[in-house]
């Protein structure tokens, strides 16, 4: 009796094993990788006797990633996961409204295809129909904005979807409601415009503070193209370099800068190009408290005066403040000091965060920011009036908009950019030994 029971139990285990093995092979046959789907037939063999049919594929999924489809270019876009040894040979599934549809790839995904931005041809077919697509592979995250109306300078409702391809990210796909509008001054005239995103909780006006691509949690995000920079690296590289090397070198214990991360952007399914995702240099980044009388000033235009003249029309106060206050007083007093106490070294040193002032003087000289500092004038620079421990104001400098750097010039003239405005420049010009 015992032997018979053991025999039945062995048969039972064998049956279970067979069923599991059968399910595995059936699953594998339905989700082959691209290497198994590389075309064995010519294009003529695939199309002969078949009619081309639109929307033969309604969804293409590689390694669980639902690919975004640009219908105008008939191209699917695939973001390869960092450090994933299966990224270039992903499992393939798809959806089709027709029966018995198969797909084939013209070739396998290789490093050469990725490096040279080459497409892989994908053909879907059955006994009656066929349709040919392109597959583009990217090593960058993909962001898609779905909007109902044209994007203008006014807020437009949108849905944002972000595919984060980072190696160790905890949440790979992020979706949020929100609004989008065009931002920027001169860049607004470019074919690729800058955008500002304000994320909200779905069906609510509540702000949606989330982290994107490993950056800080926020609801306010910037999408910045590199349209004016032929090399597509200057703004992002310069900002990241400043933040990593100088951002924490200040007396206020803050990160005085922001980061830029590259993405591929799509709007309503249309490929919009290479962009960078960042967050604003605002009161959250710079830890500014308007109730303490702290303000952020943004230098937007060149002055026509000297280095010690204050022209309010060339500056903008960017942080929220009480309407009863006069936010211009701290910066006016700073320029008054530059005028009236130009030879008072101790007063000049107390007026700015000296570490940041020195860093920026060296930094603008390094990157040759011709659109940031030219001799006695400034542009594209933030100056923040922060309260020091004794209650007095100390100015904190922050660079931004650094596309005209590293030899990229507006004209063919050569130049040597030296920051000759502000308290540090005056200390240097007066030969202050402690500063030099």
């Amino acid at each position: 009796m015992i032997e018979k029971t053991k025999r039945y139990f062995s048969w039972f285990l064998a049956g279970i094993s067979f069923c599991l093995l059968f399910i595995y092979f059936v699953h594998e046959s339905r989700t082959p990788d691209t290497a198994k789907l590389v075309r064995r037939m010519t294009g003529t063999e695939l199309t002969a006797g078949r009619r081309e049919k639109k929307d033969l594929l309604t969804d293409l999924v590689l390694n669980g990633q639902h690919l975004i489809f640009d219908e105008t270019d008939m191209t699917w876009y695939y973001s390869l996961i960092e450090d994933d040894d299966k990224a270039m040979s992903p499992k393939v599934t798809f959806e089709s409204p027709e029966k018995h549809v198969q797909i084939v790839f013209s070739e396998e995904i290789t490093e050469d295809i990725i490096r040279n931005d080459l497409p892989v041809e994908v053909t879907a077919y059955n006994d009656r129909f066929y349709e040919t697509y392109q597959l583009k592979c990217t090593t960058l995250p993909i962001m898609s904005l779905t909007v109902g109306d044209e994007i203008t300078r006014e807020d437009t409702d949108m849905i944002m979807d972000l595919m984060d391809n980072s190696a160790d990210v905890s949440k790979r796909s992020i979706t949020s409601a929100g609004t989008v509008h065009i931002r920027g001054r001169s860049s607004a005239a470019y074919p690729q415009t800058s955008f500002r995103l304000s994320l909200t909780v779905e069906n609510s006006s509540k702000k949606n503070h989330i982290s994107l691509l490993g950056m800080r949690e926020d609801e306010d995000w910037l999408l910045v193209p590199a349209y004016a920079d032929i090399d597509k690296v200057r703004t992002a590289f310069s900002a990241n370099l400043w933040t990593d090397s100088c951002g924490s070198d200040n007396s206020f214990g803050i990160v005085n800068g922001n980061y830029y991360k590259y993405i591929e952007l799509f709007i309503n399914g249309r490929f919009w190009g290479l962009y960078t995702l960042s967050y604003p240099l605002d009161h959250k980044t710079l830890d500014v408290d308007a109730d303490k009388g702290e303000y952020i000033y943004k230098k937007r235009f060149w002055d026509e005066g000297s280095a010690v003249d204050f022209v309010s029309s060339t500056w903008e106060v960017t942080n929220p403040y009480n309407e009863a206050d006069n936010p211009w007083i701290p910066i006016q007093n700073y320029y008054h000091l530059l005028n009236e106490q130009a030879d008072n070294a101790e007063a000049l040193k107390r007026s700015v965060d000296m570490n940041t002032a020195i860093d920026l003087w060296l930094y603008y000289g390094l990157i040759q920011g011709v659109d940031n500092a030219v001799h006695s004038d400034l542009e594209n620079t933030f100056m923040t009036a922060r309260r020091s421990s004794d209650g007095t104001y100390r100015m904190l400098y922050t660079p931004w908009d650094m596309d005209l750097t590293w030899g990229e010039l507006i004209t063919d003239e050569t130049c040597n950019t030296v920051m000759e405005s502000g308290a540090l420049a005056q200390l240097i010009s007066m030969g202050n030994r402690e500063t030099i």
Side-chain angles (χ1 to χ4, degrees):
M1 184 66 181
I2 294 176
E3 290 299 323
K4 185 181 292 186
T5 301
K6 287 182 178 179
R7 187 165 58 253
Y8 288 157
F9 185 69
S10 299
W11 291 348
F12 174 75
L13 289 179
I16 291 293
S17 299
F18 175 80
C19 289
L20 290 175
L21 193 61
F22 175 78
I23 291 171
Y24 170 79
F25 279 114
V26 168
H27 175 75
E28 285 295 292
S29 68
R30 292 178 180 176
T31 58
D33 58 39
T34 51
K36 298 175 183 176
L37 294 174
V38 173
R39 177 183 296 171
R40 302 303 180 193
M41 296 183 287
T42 66
T44 303
E45 289 175 309
L46 285 171
T47 59
R50 298 179 175 91
R51 289 187 292 112
E52 189 173 9
K53 181 176 177 60
K54 185 177 175 61
D55 299 328
L56 196 54
L57 287 185
T58 55
D59 193 16
L60 180 59
V61 185
L62 302 187
N63 274 357
Q65 180 185 150
H66 293 264
L67 306 193
I68 191 165
F69 180 57
D70 186 330
E71 186 174 1
T72 302
D73 294 336
M74 294 294 289
T75 301
W76 300 90
Y77 286 83
Y78 171 46
S79 175
L80 284 79
I81 305 302
E82 291 181 349
D83 301 330
D84 184 353
D85 57 2
K86 297 180 181 179
M88 289 196 292
S89 186
K91 297 295 182 182
V92 181
T93 59
F94 59 90
E95 295 290 336
S96 174
E98 298 293 327
K99 295 181 179 179
H100 310 301
V101 172
Q102 302 180 61
I103 62 173
V104 291
F105 293 73
S106 61
E107 54 192 309
E108 295 183 49
I109 299 171
T110 64
E111 293 283 358
D112 184 65
I113 283 174
I114 297 167
R115 186 183 306 110
N116 294 292
D117 193 30
L118 300 174
V120 173
E121 188 173 286
V122 180
T123 303
Y125 69 98
N126 62 9
D127 291 340
R128 300 170 58 201
F129 306 113
Y130 79 93
E131 189 172 32
T132 301
Y133 305 86
Q134 304 290 327
L135 173 69
K136 282 288 194 78
C137 301
T138 177
T139 57
L140 297 177
I142 288 178
M143 177 179 285
S144 173
L145 304 182
T146 304
V147 298
D149 298 309
E150 180 184 359
I151 302 177
T152 66
R153 286 195 174 274
E154 302 298 321
D155 283 340
T156 301
D157 290 337
M158 60 103 193
I159 297 294
M160 180 216 71
D161 293 290
L162 178 65
M163 164 61 191
D164 187 345
N165 69 336
S166 303
D168 300 320
V169 67
S170 59
K171 190 174 183 181
R172 197 163 297 288
S173 180
I174 297 174
T175 300
S176 178
T179 60
V180 56
H181 68 258
I182 294 173
R183 61 174 290 276
R185 184 164 42 98
S186 59
S187 63
Y190 296 151
Q192 269 187 306
T193 53
S194 296
F195 301 108
R196 190 160 192 158
L197 310 182
S198 299
L199 305 184
T200 58
V201 176
E202 189 174 3
N203 298 322
S204 169
S205 60
K206 183 180 178 182
K207 295 179 178 180
N208 191 13
H209 293 264
I210 55 177
S211 171
L212 300 181
L213 303 183
M215 293 185 281
R216 74 177 193 189
E217 289 190 357
D218 207 338
E219 90 291 347
D220 198 3
W221 296 91
L222 307 177
L223 288 172
V224 183
Y227 184 81
D229 177 9
I230 192 171
D231 298 310
K232 313 300 182 189
V233 298
R234 286 177 173 83
T235 292
F237 175 75
S238 299
N240 293 345
L241 178 63
W242 165 264
T243 303
D244 281 333
S245 61
C246 305
S248 300
D249 187 23
N250 59 78
S251 60
F252 301 109
I254 66 169
V255 177
N256 179 32
N258 57 355
Y259 286 101
Y260 287 73
K261 300 287 185 74
Y262 284 100
I263 64 166
E264 308 267 16
L265 179 65
F266 293 77
I267 299 179
N268 286 343
R270 188 78 173 105
F271 180 56
W272 222 250
L274 178 68
Y275 272 72
T276 53
L277 177 69
S278 186
Y279 49 90
L281 289 164
D282 57 13
H283 62 286
K284 293 169 286 187
T285 305
L286 301 174
D287 194 25
V288 166
D289 187 351
D291 292 333
K292 295 179 182 178
E294 297 181 331
Y295 306 101
I296 304 171
Y297 307 100
K298 183 179 183 180
K299 190 66 160 58
R300 301 190 63 192
F301 306 101
W302 297 108
D303 289 333
E304 295 181 357
S306 70
V308 293
D309 287 335
F310 171 68
V311 182
S312 63
S313 61
T314 66
W315 293 85
E316 174 189 355
V317 181
T318 64
N319 66 297
Y321 60 89
N322 300 319
E323 292 185 6
D325 296 339
N326 182 355
W328 296 109
I329 292 176
I331 193 170
Q332 286 172 339
N333 288 341
Y334 175 65
Y335 275 90
H336 179 77
L337 171 69
L338 298 180
N339 271 302
E340 302 298 324
Q341 301 188 51
D343 58 351
N344 187 338
E346 292 307 312
L348 292 171
K349 291 175 186 177
R350 290 194 300 270
S351 68
V352 295
D353 183 87
M354 282 297 292
N355 282 358
T356 301
I358 293 170
D359 288 340
L360 191 68
W361 189 88
L362 294 170
Y363 190 71
Y364 278 163
L366 170 69
I367 69 174
Q368 288 296 288
V370 297
D371 205 25
N372 302 93
V374 173
H375 303 304
S376 62
D377 203 358
L378 280 179
E379 190 187 35
N380 295 332
T381 303
F382 284 88
M383 189 156 56
T384 304
R386 287 286 307 260
R387 295 279 191 183
S388 56
S389 56
D390 61 3
T392 59
Y393 282 106
R394 196 171 281 174
M395 293 297 179
L396 178 76
Y397 287 96
T398 315
W400 71 288
D401 195 6
M402 291 171 278
D403 56 343
L404 295 177
T405 52
W406 307 102
E408 184 75 3
L409 304 175
I410 301 175
T411 68
D412 292 333
E413 297 179 7
T414 58
C415 65
N416 182 25
T417 299
V418 178
M419 183 177 172
E420 297 178 0
S421 63
L424 176 65
Q426 291 191 197
L427 287 165
I428 293 172
S429 65
M430 64 190 289
N432 182 266
R433 290 188 175 183
E434 184 180 340
T435 301
I436 298 174

